Amino acid sequence: MCGIIGVLGTHEVAPLLVESLKRLEYRGYDSAGIATVNAGRLDRRRAVGKLVNLSDLLVHDPLAGKAGIGHTRWATHGAATTGNAHPHRSGPVAVVHNGIIENFRELRAELSQAGLMPETETDTETVVLLTRMFMDQGLPPREAAVATLAKLEGAFALLWLFEGEDDLLIAARKGSPLAIGHGTGEMFVGSDAIALAPLTDRITYLAEGDHAFVTRAGAEIFDAEGRRANREEVKIDLGQTRVEKAGYKHFMAKEIAEQPVVLGDALRHYLQGDGLNLPAELDFTNLDRLTLVACGTAFYACSVAKYWFETLAGLPCEIDVASEFRYREPPLPRQSFAIFVSQSGETADTLAALRYCHEKVSKTVAVVNVPTSSIARECDVALPILAGIEVGVASTKAFTCQLLVLAAMALKAGVDRGHIAPAALAGHLATLRALPGLMNAALGTSDQIEKLAERLAEAQDILFLGRGAMFPLALEGALKLKEISYIHAEGYASGELKHGPIALIDRQVPVIVLAPHDRLFDKTVSNMQEVMARHGQVLLISDGKGLATASEGTWATLKMPEVAEPFAPILYALPAQLLAYHTAVAKGTDVDQPRNLAKSVTVE
């Protein structure tokens, strides 16, 4: 969600901090700031809005120093104001923070008794006030930070900077990622590898509960029990952290267009020869159930996969929104797998659900885009989706790559359980391998969709309909549209239309019907006819056979290539994404960084 960067450098750090924060803009934020130590003096600059506002401020009011910290904030406790922006400071201490301090109210009461009154609305300020309190009591910075950590409850990544200490950063993580970067005579701290990529390719990821004392000579890392810890230093591929639009107007447009390529990469990894390339320990033979847990778009990927696991493998499958899962304390059969899907691998609710499942199921499986993420490291098996960096807040290529990995798992489950014969498997693999080419054809409809979007941009409400595995895709299409265009949109199972939502239909409500010509097509067309009988404006998205059968009376049609069941949702995701993208562009909204949203949700 928020972004953190820290530098102990050999040159002025303010430009480095701002440049690194720019690489974190994709995470979503509404204010930004930096703090430095110069000749022993601690100072800071903060601004509301985009980073250009902070850059302008630094032009007129520069900040010198070769040690500093920076932050992009996505408001949780307290509005997006300069006073609530990070870094927070009290006396000789400055702190930046990702996450939530859950017991901040109790801590505020304790601090008030010590005469330290909060000046902001944030939970983070309690961290800096606690540290100052301990320093006022005589503790040096390192001990004061450790004493502060002992009193905090919640999820956090923290980075401290101290007046008079131009060769010290203190970092800590609990439930929110943080990494240390190694240089030559320099050291860095960042919330992810993307922030650190311009500075170093040597990174150490802090483990859950770690804290570290960072100087230019290196880092001393301690675990949650206070014991000295050795954490692996890894070398990252800087090419994999490059964030560029490559000539596209928006990152989202670029990422939609990349899908044939990245899906092809994932196919080559997971489909090899005449079979599937999945870890041998993923044996579905004797399982009683699968549990799939995720949030947002990843949840809809799981919803599609439920159809696949149950129809292809005869394996009962439960899906749940991560934020609800652990609070209802679901009973989990020991002979079951729990699968956790997350683009970032740091989604707080999904990570908490994973920890609930530890020791309750026979295996936990991560489906993630970041193989070094917390969810990947804490699961028994981690399957990378190989989508590459996704910058646009509204997920596109990560969604289709998640679907591909889940499809491969469903096919393996079908083979393991004797539900898929070799000839049938060959047919399914051929369907998957054909998808990149079909996606290229689907991308060719972009100009037509751009024209349709001019009409959609005028709507106040839009409905999406689908049956079978296309039902969760209707939900995903509606989510994409409302995320970036701010138009109210809902997805429904086509058969549910007459159980209430049909009351919304009139001439002003476009209805987008996702309907490949499959075994459920006729049922979907019947529901579509009910819409048109009530003057609903139908956009039918189907293949040639479907349009030849059912296009009469529709407002518009969009032709997709034919694709064999059951993997049509992977292909039909593209027109849903393009509809959202072009509608948002027509409305003039911020496509890549929509209001109130963040790329990685690392708080509950």
Side-chain angles (χ1 to χ4, degrees):
M1 188 170 287
C2 307
I4 285 176
I5 183 66
V7 178
L8 295 174
T10 56
H11 304 283
E12 293 295 315
V13 297
L16 299 177
L17 294 171
V18 172
E19 186 60 32
S20 291
L21 291 178
K22 285 180 181 177
R23 294 174 65 86
L24 295 174
E25 284 189 291
Y26 75 98
R27 295 168 70 101
Y29 69 104
D30 40 43
S31 62
I34 64 172
T36 65
V37 173
N38 183 44
R41 180 172 177 268
L42 177 66
D43 203 355
R44 62 180 170 166
R45 302 286 185 269
R46 299 173 295 167
V48 175
K50 297 300 183 183
L51 272 166
V52 66
N53 297 333
L54 178 62
S55 297
D56 288 347
L57 175 63
L58 290 167
V59 169
H60 299 289
D61 193 6
L63 200 55
K66 297 179 180 179
I69 58 178
H71 190 267
T72 51
R73 175 180 186 250
W74 189 83
T76 53
H77 296 78
T81 65
T82 303
N84 288 332
H86 297 215
H88 284 289
R89 180 184 179 182
S90 181
V93 188
V95 168
V96 291
H97 166 224
N98 292 351
I100 290 179
I101 306 302
E102 293 178 351
N103 62 332
F104 80 100
R105 292 181 180 85
E106 296 92 327
L107 294 174
R108 275 188 171 186
E110 180 180 337
L111 288 161
S112 297
Q113 292 176 357
L116 294 170
M117 304 300 295
E119 298 177 355
T120 78
E121 303 168 88
T122 71
D123 56 325
T124 304
E125 190 182 16
T126 58
V127 178
V128 75
L129 290 174
L130 277 171
T131 309
R132 178 180 180 177
M133 180 182 75
F134 287 123
M135 292 182 71
D136 288 347
Q137 293 171 1
L139 293 183
R142 297 185 185 213
E143 293 179 24
V146 172
T148 298
L149 287 171
K151 298 184 76 68
L152 302 180
E153 298 175 9
F156 49 77
L158 290 164
L159 188 59
W160 283 264
L161 183 69
F162 297 89
E163 191 159 73
E165 299 280 352
D166 65 357
D167 192 26
L168 176 67
L169 295 174
I170 299 178
R173 71 150 293 184
K174 178 185 176 185
S176 194
L178 205 58
I180 295 171
H182 305 265
T184 303
E186 299 179 298
M187 291 291 286
F188 316 98
V189 180
S191 47
D192 63 25
I194 293 176
L196 298 174
L199 305 170
T200 181
D201 63 352
R202 297 161 47 214
I203 289 178
T204 297
Y205 291 95
L206 294 183
E208 181 70 3
D210 281 356
H211 67 271
F213 304 125
V214 183
T215 67
R216 288 178 177 84
E220 297 177 89
I221 302 175
F222 298 84
D223 66 16
E225 305 302 320
R227 298 171 299 211
R228 192 71 175 265
N230 291 317
R231 304 299 182 210
E232 180 185 10
E233 181 183 312
V234 298
K235 195 174 180 69
I236 60 171
D237 182 353
L238 294 179
Q240 296 298 313
T241 61
R242 190 172 294 117
V243 180
E244 298 173 346
K245 291 181 182 175
Y248 288 88
K249 185 177 180 181
H250 301 98
F251 281 110
M252 185 177 179
K254 172 178 175 279
E255 289 155 7
I256 290 173
E258 287 176 339
Q259 287 176 105
V261 173
V262 296
L263 199 80
D265 293 339
L267 283 164
R268 282 185 289 276
H269 181 83
Y270 288 105
L271 278 61
Q272 293 186 1
D274 297 329
L276 296 156
N277 179 37
L278 286 162
E281 60 263 42
L282 284 183
D283 186 348
F284 296 86
T285 306
N286 297 313
L287 294 187
D288 297 322
R289 192 172 80 190
L290 284 183
T291 298
L292 286 86
V293 183
C295 300
T297 286
F299 174 76
Y300 294 140
C302 292
S303 302
V304 173
K306 174 182 173 71
Y307 286 87
W308 293 340
F309 280 110
E310 294 186 344
T311 58
L312 294 172
L315 180 55
C317 185
E318 178 179 336
I319 56 170
D320 217 328
V321 175
S323 58
E324 293 294 325
F325 177 76
R326 66 186 173 120
Y327 293 113
R328 63 183 181 85
E329 299 182 350
L332 297 169
R334 180 62 189 169
Q335 280 299 110
S336 67
F337 289 172
I339 301 172
F340 302 89
V341 184
S342 166
Q343 190 281 136
S344 68
E346 303 292 349
T347 309
D349 290 316
T350 308
L351 186 57
L354 162 61
R355 290 170 179 163
Y356 172 84
C357 290
H358 279 319
E359 310 302 326
K360 292 183 175 68
V361 298
S362 55
K363 206 168 296 295
T364 55
V365 183
V367 178
V368 293
N369 201 26
V370 184
T372 56
S373 62
S374 299
I375 291 173
R377 292 198 303 269
E378 294 190 25
C379 275
D380 299 317
V381 179
L383 301 178
I385 64 171
L386 305 172
I389 291 174
E390 186 179 70
V391 175
V393 167
S395 182
T396 53
K397 62 178 181 175
F399 175 65
T400 49
C401 285
Q402 286 167 354
L403 288 175
L404 185 279
V405 175
L406 291 166
M409 292 174 68
L411 289 174
K412 186 177 191 304
V415 171
D416 289 348
R417 298 168 68 84
H419 280 249
I420 298 179
L425 176 63
H428 289 312
L429 296 182
T431 298
L432 292 176
R433 287 193 170 104
L435 282 171
L438 300 179
M439 283 179 157
N440 275 320
L443 290 172
T445 64
S446 184
D447 289 345
Q448 182 184 355
I449 290 175
E450 185 175 6
K451 293 182 174 65
L452 296 173
E454 295 175 5
R455 163 71 177 89
L456 295 178
E458 299 172 354
Q460 299 295 313
D461 304 277
I462 296 176
L463 301 183
F464 287 74
L465 301 180
R467 272 187 181 267
M470 303 304 290
F471 162 43
L473 192 64
L475 296 170
E476 167 62 9
L479 175 63
K480 279 289 154 289
L481 190 69
K482 55 192 163 193
E483 277 183 312
I484 61 172
S485 75
Y486 316 145
I487 295 173
H488 173 251
E490 297 293 339
Y492 289 100
S494 301
E496 278 294 291
L497 191 68
K498 52 185 168 290
H499 294 282
I502 201 167
L504 299 172
I505 302 299
D506 62 24
R507 296 182 188 275
Q508 307 307 314
V509 179
V511 179
I512 298 168
V513 180
L514 301 162
H517 194 273
D518 56 19
R519 59 193 174 86
L520 298 175
F521 178 76
D522 291 339
K523 299 287 187 183
T524 303
V525 169
S526 294
N527 302 130
M528 188 179 78
Q529 294 293 342
E530 294 168 348
V531 170
M532 293 191 295
R534 289 155 180 82
H535 309 294
Q537 304 299 296
V538 169
L539 167 56
L540 174 60
I541 304 177
S542 186
D543 50 42
K545 291 181 181 178
L547 297 183
T549 303
S551 60
E552 185 177 352
T554 60
W555 157 57
T557 61
L558 195 62
K559 185 179 178 181
M560 289 290 104
E562 290 187 23
V563 57
E565 290 190 69
F567 301 120
I570 301 176
L571 176 64
Y572 278 65
L574 272 67
Q577 295 164 1
L578 287 167
L579 281 167
Y581 172 75
H582 285 299
T583 302
V585 170
K587 288 199 68 181
T589 58
D590 190 336
V591 173
D592 287 333
Q593 296 175 34
R595 67 188 183 198
N596 303 331
L597 296 179
K599 183 63 176 170
S600 178
V601 183
T602 55
V603 297
E604 284 195 70

